[in-house]
Every structure is written in C-alpha cells, then in structure tokens.
Amino acid sequence: VIVVHQVTKTYGMGDTEVHALAGVSLAIQRGDFVAIMGASGSGKSTLMNILGCLDLPSTGRYLLDGVDVQGLDETQLAEVRNRKIGFIFQSFNLIPRTSAIANVELPMVYAGVKKAERRERALLAMESVGLAKRLNHTPAELSGGQQQRVAVARAIATNPAMILADEPTGNLDSAASADVLDLFEALNAEGRTVVLITHENEVADRAKRVIRLRDGRILEDVRNQPL
Amino acid sequence: VIVVHQVTKTYGMGDTEVHALAGVSLAIQRGDFVAIMGASGSGKSTLMNILGCLDLPSTGRYLLDGVDVQGLDETQLAEVRNRKIGFIFQSFNLIPRTSAIANVELPMVYAGVKKAERRERALLAMESVGLAKRLNHTPAELSGGQQQRVAVARAIATNPAMILADEPTGNLDSAASADVLDLFEALNAEGRTVVLITHENEVADRAKRVIRLRDGRILEDVRNQPL
Ligand SMILES: Nc1ncnc2c1ncn2[C@@H]1O[C@H](COP(=O)(O)OP(=O)(O)OP(=O)(O)O)[C@@H](O)[C@H]1O
Ligand SMILES: Nc1ncnc2c1ncn2[C@@H]1O[C@H](COP(=O)(O)OP(=O)(O)OP(=O)(O)O)[C@@H](O)[C@H]1O
Ligand SMILES: [Mg+2]
Ligand SMILES: [Mg+2]
C-alpha cells in the first residue's frame, strides 16, 4: 500500500541546510503494524508527514496505493488523506475552544458522513479511548493525556484503511498506553495498516515490524512478527 | 520551601463539576528531588500549576518559602515565579515565530539580566540540552523533542532555586531523556529543588522521593533516597 523510493527532505539553504531525510526507501504492505523509532531529530515526524500526504518530499518518489502523490494537487491530497488515512499528530492539533466530540466529528463532516452516524461513531471512538465523560470539554479543559486520546479517537472514527500515529502514548501512563495499543491491535486485526512513531520500547514490542531511523536514514528494518 | 495544606481544585459546577484535586497535603524541603506520578487525568498538572503559582487552589493553603500565595496579586505572583521558579510546561509553551535562543532568553529579560550575560547563559543552557546547532530555529522548525529541550533550557537559564517540570521527557528517546535527567541531577546536587511529573518509571527511579496521585488525592509518598 505504501512505496517510498529514495525520498529526501531538506529544509533551509546554504549553511542553515538541514537534511531531515537523507535518502529513505521502504515498502509497507496492507495490514502491517510498523513502529518507527529513532533519536529526537532523526527524521521520524518528517517521514510520517510525507506518508500522511501532509508534506511532499524534496526528491524521490512516494506511491500510496500505486498513486504517485507528486502528481496530486492540494484538494486531491486532502481527499486522499480524509478517505484513507487517520492521522494522530505529535502535538495533537485539536481545534481550540471546540468540544472534544466536535473535534472527533470534524473529519467525518469533511467526508460527508450524515449527522446521526457521525455522532454515533464519535461517541464509540471516545468510549474506546476511555473519555465518555469528557465529550463536551474543550482542549483547554482536558489534561495532556486526555487531549492525546481525543486525537486518537478523531483518527479512528472515520474507519480509515491506514492509521499513522506520531508518538500516540507520549503523555500517557502505562494503563492508558496499553488501552491505546489494544485499540491499535484490534484495528490491525481487522486488516487496517498501522504505522506509529514511538520512543518507548514497550510500545514498539507490540508492533510486527520496527524501523529505526538515524540522522534521516534507515539504520535497520526488522520484522518481529509475520504479516 | 513548599507547604501544601488540604488543597482542592474544582472546575465547573453542578453536574459538570470536576474535582481535579480533592484534598492534597504535602511538604517539600529545599534540595529535594521529587517525582509526581499518576494516571492520565489524576491531577498532576493541576497540582504543578498551583506549586508554580500559575493557578490558585479552590480551597486550602499553599505556602512558598513561608509566604501564603493567596495574599499575592498577579504582579507579585509573576515576580515570585520569575525569581524563584523555572517551569517546564507539558505542552512546552514556546513563543511561535521566535528563535529558540530568544525563547530561552525571555525569562531573563523580565528578570532584568543584562544583554551580554543573557546571551551567554542562554547559549550555555542550549548547549547543555544538546541544541547548540538549533539556536535560530523557531518552534515550527524544530522536532517535538527539540522543542521540549528548548523548554528545559529556558527553565534552567535563570538559575532558579526550584525547577518544576511537567513531563520533561515525554517526547524524548532514552539518550536525550538521560541527558535531561543528568542535567536535573546536577542542578539538584547544587542544592536546587527539582519537582517533576512523569509517567515513566525510569525517570522516577532517579528521583529521591515519589508521590503518586489518584483521582486528585495522594495515594502514596515514598522516600527512595535521603535528602
Ligand atoms: N479547565 C478545566 N476545566 C475542566 N476540567 C479540567 C480543566 N483542567 C483540567 N481538568 C480536568 O481535571 C483533571 C485533572 O487534570 P490534570 O491536567 O491535572 O491531569 P494530569 O494528571 O496532568 O493528566 P495527564 O497525565 O493526562 O497530563 C482531568 O480529568 C481534566 O479533565
Ligand atoms: N521546518 C523546518 N525547518 C528547519 N528544520 C526543520 C524543520 N522541521 C524539522 N526540522 C529539522 O529536521 C530534523 C528532523 O525533524 P523531525 O521532526 O522529523 O524529528 P523527529 O525524529 O520527529 O524528532 P522528535 O523525536 O524530537 O519528535 C530536526 O533536526 C529538525 O530540527
Ligand atoms: Mg517528532
Ligand atoms: Mg498533565
């Protein structure tokens, strides 16, 4: 479902040039469960943003379901994101002054899901992350880990074919982390592709495959469980 | 240096009432190194914001160096914060579109530190968190873990008597986390009080004392190393 070929991402020019990705190639088949690890600043989020069609590579090819994203315009990229991908940002990116449940429903509004079904799926998603009692709280009225879980609920409520999660348990204690991982495992067992970034070994241990980045390149790519 | 007596914090009213803190009492002596743990939503950040004079309790007493904060107005609270406390927010709270080094210098601007000395201390702080090569990057041009480390640098550059850190390693890999903890241990060895929130046992293991919260109350308070 994903083919990345010799992708680079460079920021800035001259002496402030940063090679966030210095040549990455990988393929991810439908239904895989991949953990991306690496030191702070090694290029994980940059790679994830490209996989999620939120950013384009500087050079190289990215094919999503056989379609080269380079050929798509902004509207088509947004449509691909909305239909195929559930994205969980490292900084949550919830809409301020908007209730948690409205935040979870928003991607479904764009996807044209009817109101009653939207509300029902949003409620189910909030329950599955343990926040049934926080539906009407705005982000400012939620703890850090609760905001993170709302971001998880928002990504899964559209039933996406692929979930891309950037540090989804960074602010969670081990019980809440295990709940989120149980959720990802259940979604993966249904055939959805899960790619997550983590710096925690306990989280990576539950993936089927671990890719380690270092200074914008793949250091190793290890399969721990069969597809 | 800190005395908290029967502090509560309640949000909302009626059926949306949330008891973030339901009666917390504790004392922290100068030079202690305390880790605060607990499930997501258990009241850790709420307690930390009260300790850092960023928020007032609903009921109960908070004495910082013998001074009851209830009697202070906004300006006096800001002065106490600026002079005595280095605060690291769970969501970093860096000023957007402002370089990392300007962010680190800002508390020293408020404290009236001269320009040359400000710059020198900010440089030292950025080096101590491993970001000497990212001085002029704005938050948007930094990875999540790099933003977190700028927030750490900002909190220590004023040489505060007390450091309050809310999940300072949430976005860091184990090497970068160990660097930040080495830094806190060195500051603590100089006699500075360190209070940090964490959900990672490896981080709590390095503290002298661990306080666990549950549903807004202290579940246990255990000294692991002598003061
Ligand atoms: N402004 C607010 N209005 C209403 N409820 C709030 C507000 N701020 C926090 N809360 C609630 O108070 C409780 C404690 O929040 P707090 O941020 O202290 O938790 P925490 O222990 O830091 O959690 P985390 O580990 O997820 O960061 C949470 O259940 C949260 O929903
Ligand atoms: N807009 C930008 N301009 C300049 N440099 C950038 C920009 N965005 C990211 N970088 C740099 O690219 C590198 C990779 O960033 P990235 O966010 O992918 O790292 P990461 O592996 O996700 O790190 P972390 O674990 O800290 O989140 C970093 O060194 C960062 O400073
Ligand atoms: Mg990142
Ligand atoms: Mg918190």
Side-chain angles (χ1 to χ4, degrees):
Chain A
V1 61
I2 279 182
V3 173
V4 172
H5 182 64
Q6 280 302 316
V7 155
T8 71
K9 183 71 186 179
T10 304
Y11 293 109
M13 282 175 309
D15 60 346
T16 66
E17 210 168 57
V18 174
H19 299 283
L21 294 176
V24 170
S25 299
L26 58 90
I28 298 178
Q29 283 176 276
R30 189 174 300 287
D32 206 351
F33 189 158
V34 184
I36 298 177
M37 302 189 81
S40 172
S42 58
K44 304 181 297 294
S45 296
T46 302
L47 174 59
M48 200 67 128
N49 292 342
I50 289 171
L51 295 183
C53 298
L54 290 158
D55 198 6
L56 289 173
S58 299
T59 67
R61 284 278 149 276
Y62 172 39
L63 302 180
L64 177 58
D65 287 342
V67 175
D68 186 336
V69 297
Q70 207 83 27
L72 303 180
D73 63 26
E74 253 325 296
T75 325
Q76 290 167 314
L77 278 175
E79 228 182 274
V80 166
R81 281 196 304 262
N82 192 249
R83 257 185 317 111
K84 295 190 173 187
I85 301 170
F87 202 100
I88 298 160
F89 292 86
Q90 189 168 5
S91 54
F92 320 151
N93 281 22
L94 297 177
I95 314 288
R97 294 176 291 284
T98 304
S99 72
I101 192 142
N103 262 285
V104 173
E105 286 191 32
L106 204 55
M108 289 185 279
V109 174
Y110 291 134
V113 178
K114 295 262 176 307
K115 195 169 180 184
E117 189 188 348
R118 250 180 16 222
R119 173 62 41 147
E120 195 187 327
R121 277 164 55 179
L123 275 175
L124 271 177
M126 284 290 279
E127 271 166 26
S128 67
V129 296
L131 289 177
K133 286 191 189 143
R134 293 278 185 276
L135 301 178
N136 298 315
H137 283 228
T138 61
E141 296 171 340
L142 292 169
S143 78
Q146 290 170 340
Q147 293 173 44
Q148 187 155 43
R149 286 182 278 162
V150 173
V152 171
R154 178 180 61 182
I156 64 173
T158 52
N159 285 333
M162 183 162 73
I163 291 164
L164 301 179
D166 195 339
E167 295 281 1
T169 63
N171 280 276
L172 299 179
D173 55 281
S174 26
S177 282
D179 287 349
V180 167
L181 284 170
D182 289 347
L183 194 57
F184 287 163
E185 264 180 20
L187 292 166
N188 183 245
E190 285 173 22
R192 299 173 204 286
T193 309
V194 176
V195 183
L196 58 77
I197 292 173
T198 184
H199 62 273
E200 299 178 59
N201 290 323
E202 308 80 63
V203 172
D205 286 349
R206 295 183 63 169
K208 291 174 179 170
R209 177 181 170 193
V210 179
I211 296 174
R212 282 177 199 279
L213 294 188
R214 185 172 175 183
D215 297 333
R217 291 175 197 279
I218 293 181
L219 191 67
E220 59 173 14
D221 185 346
V222 180
R223 178 160 295 288
N224 291 329
Q225 294 170 38
L227 209 59
Chain B
V1 62
I2 278 181
V3 174
V4 172
H5 183 66
Q6 280 302 319
V7 155
T8 70
K9 183 72 186 179
T10 304
Y11 293 108
M13 283 177 307
D15 60 345
T16 67
E17 210 167 59
V18 174
H19 296 284
L21 294 176
V24 169
S25 298
L26 57 91
I28 298 177
Q29 282 176 276
R30 189 173 300 285
D32 207 349
F33 189 156
V34 184
I36 298 178
M37 303 188 81
S40 172
S42 58
K44 304 181 296 294
S45 296
T46 302
L47 174 59
M48 201 65 131
N49 292 341
I50 290 171
L51 295 184
C53 299
L54 291 158
D55 197 8
L56 289 172
S58 300
T59 67
R61 285 279 150 272
Y62 172 40
L63 302 180
L64 178 57
D65 288 341
V67 175
D68 187 335
V69 296
Q70 207 83 27
L72 303 180
D73 64 26
E74 253 324 295
T75 324
Q76 289 167 314
L77 278 175
E79 230 181 275
V80 166
R81 281 197 304 262
N82 191 247
R83 257 182 320 113
K84 295 189 175 188
I85 300 171
F87 202 100
I88 298 159
F89 294 86
Q90 187 168 6
S91 54
F92 320 150
N93 282 24
L94 297 178
I95 314 285
R97 293 175 291 285
T98 305
S99 72
I101 192 142
N103 262 285
V104 174
E105 287 192 32
L106 204 55
M108 289 186 278
V109 174
Y110 292 134
V113 177
K114 295 263 176 306
K115 193 169 180 183
E117 189 187 346
R118 251 181 12 224
R119 174 62 41 144
E120 196 187 324
R121 278 163 57 179
L123 274 176
L124 272 177
M126 283 289 279
E127 271 166 25
S128 67
V129 296
L131 289 177
K133 286 192 186 142
R134 292 278 183 276
L135 301 177
N136 298 314
H137 283 230
T138 61
E141 297 169 340
L142 292 170
S143 78
Q146 290 169 340
Q147 292 174 45
Q148 187 156 42
R149 286 182 278 162
V150 173
V152 171
R154 178 179 61 180
I156 64 173
T158 51
N159 285 332
M162 183 162 74
I163 292 163
L164 301 179
D166 195 340
E167 296 282 359
T169 63
N171 279 277
L172 299 179
D173 57 280
S174 27
S177 280
D179 288 348
V180 168
L181 284 170
D182 289 346
L183 194 58
F184 287 163
E185 263 180 21
L187 292 166
N188 183 245
E190 286 172 24
R192 299 175 204 285
T193 308
V194 175
V195 183
L196 57 77
I197 291 174
T198 185
H199 62 272
E200 300 178 57
N201 289 323
E202 309 78 61
V203 173
D205 287 347
R206 296 184 61 170
K208 293 175 179 169
R209 176 181 172 193
V210 179
I211 296 175
R212 282 179 199 278
L213 294 188
R214 185 172 174 182
D215 297 332
R217 290 174 197 280
I218 293 179
L219 192 67
E220 59 174 15
D221 184 345
V222 180
R223 178 161 295 287
N224 292 331
Q225 293 169 39
L227 208 58

